[in-house]
Amino acid sequence: MREKRKGKKDAGKKNGRTRSSAGRRSTNRKIIEMVEGTVQMTREGYGFVVVPDREDDIYIPQNRMLHSLNGDLVRVAVTRKKDAKHRSEGEIVAILERSAKPFIGILQILGEQGWVIVESRVMPYDIRVPLDGIDEDAGWKKVAVQVVDWPMHSEAPVGKIIDILGEPGENDTEMHAILAEFGLPYRFDPKVEEAAAKIPVEIDAKEVKRRKDMRGTLTFTIDPADAKDFDDAVSLQELENGNYEIGVHIADVTHYVRPHDIIDKEAYERGTSVYLVDRTVPMLPEVLSNNLCSLRAGEDKLTYSAVFEVTPTAKVVKRWFGRTIINSDRRYSYEQAQEVIDTAGDYTLKYLGEMGSGVATKSIKVSSRRRKGESFSDKDVAGAILTLHTIAGKLREQRFQSGSISFERPEMKVIVDASGKPVDVVQRISKEANWLIEEFMLLANKEVATCVTKGLRLKEPTFVYRVHDEPDYDKVRNLKDFVKHFGYQMGPVNNAREVATELNALLEKAKGKPECGAIEIIALRSMARAKYSTDNVGHYGLGFEYYTHFTSPIRRYPDMMVHRLLTHYLDKGKNEEKNRWEELCKHSSNREHLATEAERSSIKYKLAEYMQDKVGQEFEGSVSGITEWGMYVEIEPTKVEGMVMLREIKEDFFIYDEKNYCLIGKSTRKRFTLGDKVRIKVSKTNLEQKLIDYTLVWDPEWNKISSKKKSARKK
């Protein structure tokens, strides 16, 4: 067992999860202000406190942490303000609430005493645990432990084991450990599974009569090749006036899951499905997500639909929302749909008309095939794909003209084998088939929000919006200064529209160039985080005044909330009480954030695992991040990111220039900035901490930079 760091002797006697039992201390240092925030711990024992609505965090030395741990809610006495040379500094004076998140470690049993050995970047202490009820076989297993106390004068916190995860290193153990670390479930309670199994599979004839029957309309799904839950479908029909009827059909989850039933409560607690590298942890039991509510081809399915009449120029002239029944004609993967788009010139048959620039200019007149016993051929559906592709392209063009921002950072996917072992890292390519579905989902989400807010004549209706606030203009101006180093000039950025215009122009100019990734990183840092709220501020990134999430109720609880509110208002219901729905929004945003962190953690783990057998190998890469302790480098072609620690660069002492996002060698004057090409050697991987360390391969030419500058000055 590694040596444990000693805690403060005057720590609070109790540190339970209630405010009344929180640890407290007084300080005789000069207090500038008192604030409350959340602890971000470091492995070295010091920490930072993040305060809501405060841009800078507060540094807390190790001897002033008051036995607080990562994630704890604390009260801080700020003792030094941030200035040009120092960050804000403070002292924790009270632990208001212990974090409920567990720590993950290996259980070591020494006689009658148990210790959980924690290997984490945010936990410098091992945790003492009682062995009551713990089987001896649990020794050396990976466990989840929750800190319950840290008595005064004790060297280590005391915890309780809440789950035994399994043998360290096994794939299931490690993935469950990631979920447990973020407080996310990885199994359903049997009672929830039993309740789902009792839901009738057959569709009642009376229910069909209550719905708009769209089984006669050409309908299909486009999803990833490995998808199991198909929660959206699109349909197309040409109208007599030359316009198109386009339907966006969403699995009617709320028909099966009723408010406050056991399945609904479980879905609310989960908030969202979680997508780890090797698995999906669903929000709903499989009988719902992969069966009853999955819009599988050739099966009658209950749906909630947004149906639009759209002109050939992609203008929406009519809209209808309501419950429907559909029967999907085909299931396409994105790759199959893309092949149809790429080979559009081959589809010059019946129904398709002329081809222009690789897409159809005419669509399909669709009759009710169910009544006549007809069916649609692959050529028919291909024609519909081409027509929808044309309209989606126009919608996309209109969206960017209205202020939508185009961030297209490469997204990498870890390929794993049947046992979960990573075997490759490839770029996830997004093409026109992805955009086709994306544009119609965006359209449905936007139009549902617009309908409720403006179309139903309700006065300030309570509704669930997906909001994205305007950017931080100071950070945008910093970006404007930063890109000058690469020769880019941005125009005025004094309002939201100007920022969107200038960002799109900048990203287009930088596309494909070495500095593009760095510019996108800095630009993204200026953006607010999207969230759910009953207070609509619009969606800045998309350029929409009204926006919501309606299209994925299988995997997002807010979409179920939207379905229920829309139904209530369409049925002439009164305005809902706002505070209750706002609490639901906050919970959903929090669960979404946790799920995202877990997904990233699983990727980091698998990338570290993937790089294990590459220690000692050299790769070309580019600088993707700059900090005061080192620089992050993404290697080619996998984009796997690792850290080059400054203390490991022996050839020079580097100084961090925060304003210009660069490192400058004190002797050589060698400068490293975002986007610079470098060569590295993989030096170490750490699975427990999900870290990859690189060593910079020094180029002897860099030693000549300082001499050249001196010679230039003499001349």
Side-chain angles (χ1 to χ4, degrees):
M1 183 175 67
R2 75 169 186 270
E3 181 180 348
K4 301 174 291 300
R5 302 179 187 274
K6 292 186 177 181
K8 287 287 293 179
K9 291 185 177 181
D10 56 351
K13 291 184 180 180
K14 296 182 180 180
N15 41 33
R17 294 183 59 204
T18 61
R19 292 177 183 266
S20 61
S21 63
R24 283 167 168 51
R25 73 176 295 169
S26 59
T27 177
N28 54 12
R29 307 179 79 215
K30 183 180 179 181
I31 299 174
I32 298 173
E33 61 177 327
M34 299 288 286
V35 296
E36 294 182 6
T38 304
V39 174
Q40 287 186 345
M41 194 80 170
T42 69
R43 189 165 176 77
E44 288 72 26
Y46 61 86
F48 302 90
V49 173
V50 179
V51 180
D53 302 322
R54 182 182 179 124
E55 185 173 341
D56 63 313
D57 50 28
I58 303 166
Y59 167 68
I60 312 293
Q62 182 183 357
N63 63 353
R64 296 179 189 142
M65 290 291 293
L66 190 66
H67 281 190
S68 63
L69 297 170
N70 192 67
D72 291 350
L73 179 65
V74 298
R75 181 174 295 122
V76 178
V78 180
T79 55
R80 184 171 68 188
K81 282 189 174 182
K82 181 180 180 180
D83 55 35
K85 294 183 178 180
H86 304 95
R87 65 168 72 236
S88 297
E89 187 172 320
E91 179 174 355
I92 294 175
V93 297
I95 299 172
L96 304 177
E97 186 175 353
R98 281 286 185 198
S99 172
K101 288 185 184 179
F103 294 98
I104 308 300
I106 307 298
L107 175 61
Q108 184 174 350
I109 299 176
L110 301 173
E112 297 183 357
Q113 182 63 61
W115 289 91
V116 176
I117 314 303
V118 181
E119 293 289 341
S120 170
R121 287 181 286 176
V122 298
M123 183 55 167
Y125 309 102
D126 297 329
I127 303 170
R128 184 160 50 89
V129 293
L131 295 177
D132 300 340
I134 301 297
D135 196 301
E136 288 185 5
D137 292 341
W140 303 106
K141 297 279 181 68
K142 182 161 280 193
V143 299
V145 58
Q146 190 174 48
V147 172
V148 295
D149 197 10
W150 193 341
M152 184 178 289
H153 309 304
S154 175
E155 292 184 351
V158 178
K160 65 176 180 179
I161 293 175
I162 60 175
D163 203 354
I164 298 173
L165 301 167
E167 294 292 338
E170 290 187 356
N171 187 62
D172 281 351
T173 298
E174 300 303 335
M175 294 299 102
H176 289 169
I178 288 171
L179 292 166
E181 181 182 358
F182 291 96
L184 299 169
Y186 43 88
R187 62 174 73 95
F188 282 103
D189 187 295
K191 292 181 180 178
V192 177
E193 298 273 19
E194 290 170 10
K198 292 178 181 178
I199 298 175
V201 175
E202 298 297 326
I203 298 174
D204 184 64
K206 293 181 180 178
E207 182 61 35
V208 174
K209 290 181 179 179
R210 287 192 284 265
R211 294 171 177 261
K212 183 174 183 177
D213 192 340
M214 299 193 69
R215 289 175 290 183
T217 303
L218 192 156
T219 305
F220 56 91
T221 61
I222 304 178
D223 290 281
D226 57 354
K228 294 180 180 178
D229 56 337
F230 313 124
D231 57 0
D232 59 73
V234 290
S235 66
L236 177 71
Q237 184 168 225
E238 186 177 355
L239 303 175
E240 294 296 332
N241 61 5
N243 292 340
Y244 306 111
E245 179 190 271
I246 298 174
V248 178
H249 309 286
I250 308 302
D252 193 359
V253 174
T254 56
H255 170 78
Y256 298 102
V257 181
R258 303 306 170 91
H260 312 301
D261 69 14
I262 188 172
I263 302 174
D264 182 64
K265 289 177 181 178
E266 180 71 15
Y268 166 74
E269 286 300 323
R270 293 180 177 233
T272 179
S273 295
V274 184
Y275 297 89
L276 303 187
V277 167
D278 69 330
R279 69 194 64 197
T280 297
V281 183
M283 182 182 76
L284 297 170
E286 187 173 338
V287 68
L288 281 163
S289 59
N290 292 355
N291 186 1
L292 285 176
C293 295
S294 186
L295 308 183
R296 298 184 299 202
E299 299 179 11
D300 287 356
K301 294 292 181 178
L302 302 182
T303 46
Y304 211 138
S305 300
V307 182
F308 307 104
E309 182 180 335
V310 182
T311 68
T313 58
K315 180 181 179 181
V316 177
V317 293
K318 286 184 181 178
R319 54 195 57 73
W320 177 89
F321 306 101
R323 285 188 149 110
T324 56
I325 181 170
I326 68 165
N327 190 300
S328 176
D329 296 280
R330 296 286 189 283
R331 182 243 163 149
Y332 279 84
S333 68
Y334 282 118
E335 292 78 10
Q336 290 169 329
Q338 187 63 43
E339 185 178 0
V340 171
I341 294 169
D342 290 341
T343 58
D346 297 338
Y347 293 94
T348 56
L349 302 167
K350 186 179 177 184
Y351 301 123
L352 295 191
E354 266 186 352
M355 298 293 157
S357 302
V359 295
T361 57
K362 293 181 68 177
S363 182
I364 307 167
K365 289 189 176 181
V366 178
S367 61
S368 177
R369 71 193 187 284
R370 299 301 174 198
R371 186 169 58 249
K372 297 180 180 179
E374 298 174 350
S375 62
F376 294 108
S377 68
D378 289 339
K379 297 182 182 67
D380 299 338
V381 185
I385 289 175
L386 295 173
T387 300
L388 290 173
H389 168 51
T390 302
I391 296 173
K394 291 181 170 64
L395 289 171
R396 185 177 174 85
E397 182 181 353
Q398 292 167 7
R399 180 161 60 85
F400 286 115
Q401 288 175 348
S402 298
S404 186
I405 300 175
S406 176
F407 285 110
E408 296 181 7
R409 277 183 57 75
E411 183 181 356
M412 306 307 292
K413 179 180 180 180
V414 183
I415 306 298
V416 297
D417 62 18
S419 66
K421 179 181 174 63
V423 295
D424 200 1
V425 181
V426 299
Q427 185 171 348
R428 197 190 302 266
I429 304 296
S430 181
K431 293 187 176 181
E432 290 96 330
N434 303 76
W435 302 341
L436 185 159
I437 293 300
E438 178 186 27
E439 289 305 323
F440 288 112
M441 298 306 114
L442 291 174
L443 177 66
N445 290 332
K446 180 183 74 168
E447 292 291 342
V448 166
T450 304
C451 170
V452 172
T453 309
K454 298 175 64 178
L456 299 179
R457 297 183 180 179
L458 293 164
K459 186 177 181 181
E460 297 182 355
T462 296
F463 195 57
V464 174
Y465 297 97
R466 179 68 170 178
V467 299
H468 184 225
D469 212 341
E470 292 185 7
D472 184 317
Y473 289 97
D474 287 336
K475 291 182 178 179
V476 174
R477 283 186 277 273
N478 289 340
L479 170 67
K480 184 177 180 179
D481 292 336
F482 170 70
V483 298
K484 289 178 182 177
H485 298 297
F486 300 102
Y488 299 105
Q489 295 292 328
M490 294 176 65
V493 287
N494 300 313
N495 58 54
R497 191 61 182 269
E498 287 179 351
V499 170
T501 300
E502 293 302 316
L503 273 183
N504 279 332
L506 172 66
L507 294 172
E508 182 62 31
K509 291 176 185 175
K511 185 182 293 185
K513 296 180 181 177
E515 64 271 14
C516 183
I519 291 172
E520 286 192 329
I521 290 171
I522 303 299
L524 283 168
R525 288 176 184 167
S526 70
M527 296 291 117
R529 177 187 292 170
K531 63 180 182 179
Y532 299 102
S533 178
T534 56
D535 293 317
N536 181 47
V537 296
H539 197 293
Y540 175 74
L542 292 172
F544 292 159
E545 184 177 3
Y546 306 104
Y547 189 68
T548 189
H549 273 171
F550 167 81
T551 53
S552 294
I554 286 179
R555 61 184 180 91
R556 294 188 304 226
Y557 193 79
D559 299 57
M560 292 174 61
M561 295 158 59
V562 167
H563 282 214
R564 286 169 177 160
L565 283 171
L566 178 60
T567 299
H568 176 72
Y569 292 138
L570 289 175
D571 291 342
K572 311 298 182 183
K574 294 181 179 179
N575 201 358
E576 286 281 291
E577 196 273 319
K578 183 175 180 177
N579 291 338
R580 181 174 74 88
W581 289 93
E582 181 61 26
E583 287 303 311
L584 296 176
C585 286
K586 289 179 179 178
H587 172 81
S588 297
S589 296
N590 180 54
R591 300 304 288 182
E592 176 190 39
H593 178 63
L594 290 175
T596 300
E597 291 297 308
E599 291 161 18
R600 289 173 179 167
S601 186
S602 80
I603 293 170
K604 288 179 180 179
Y605 182 90
K606 289 300 177 184
L607 289 178
E609 187 179 359
Y610 175 73
M611 296 299 289
Q612 275 187 314
D613 63 357
K614 296 167 183 62
V615 171
Q617 295 182 25
E618 294 187 6
F619 295 90
E620 300 294 334
S622 57
V623 178
S624 56
I626 299 285
T627 71
E628 57 192 306
W629 57 85
M631 61 181 174
Y632 291 97
V633 175
E634 282 186 352
I635 63 173
E636 297 296 341
T638 59
K639 304 293 183 183
V640 176
E641 187 177 67
M643 166 63 80
V644 175
M645 302 296 294
L646 292 188
R647 65 172 179 262
E648 300 297 328
I649 303 177
K650 307 302 182 184
E651 291 81 1
D652 201 353
F653 179 82
F654 280 84
I655 300 167
Y656 175 50
D657 183 344
E658 184 177 8
K659 181 179 179 181
N660 294 305
Y661 296 100
C662 68
L663 299 169
I664 302 173
K666 191 173 182 179
S667 299
T668 63
R669 308 310 297 170
K670 170 61 182 173
R671 177 190 294 260
F672 291 110
T673 190
L674 295 175
D676 281 357
K677 296 295 183 181
V678 295
R679 188 170 182 82
I680 60 88
K681 178 187 289 186
V682 183
S683 57
K684 186 171 59 176
T685 63
N686 185 320
L687 285 180
E688 289 295 330
Q689 297 186 38
K690 307 171 186 68
L691 295 175
I692 304 169
D693 288 343
Y694 294 153
T695 301
L696 182 67
V697 178
W698 188 264
D699 186 341
E701 290 294 317
W702 296 339
N703 293 321
K704 303 175 183 178
I705 296 174
S706 179
S707 299
K708 290 178 180 178
K709 288 185 177 180
K710 288 179 181 178
S711 299
R713 283 197 295 269
K714 288 179 181 179
K715 292 179 181 178

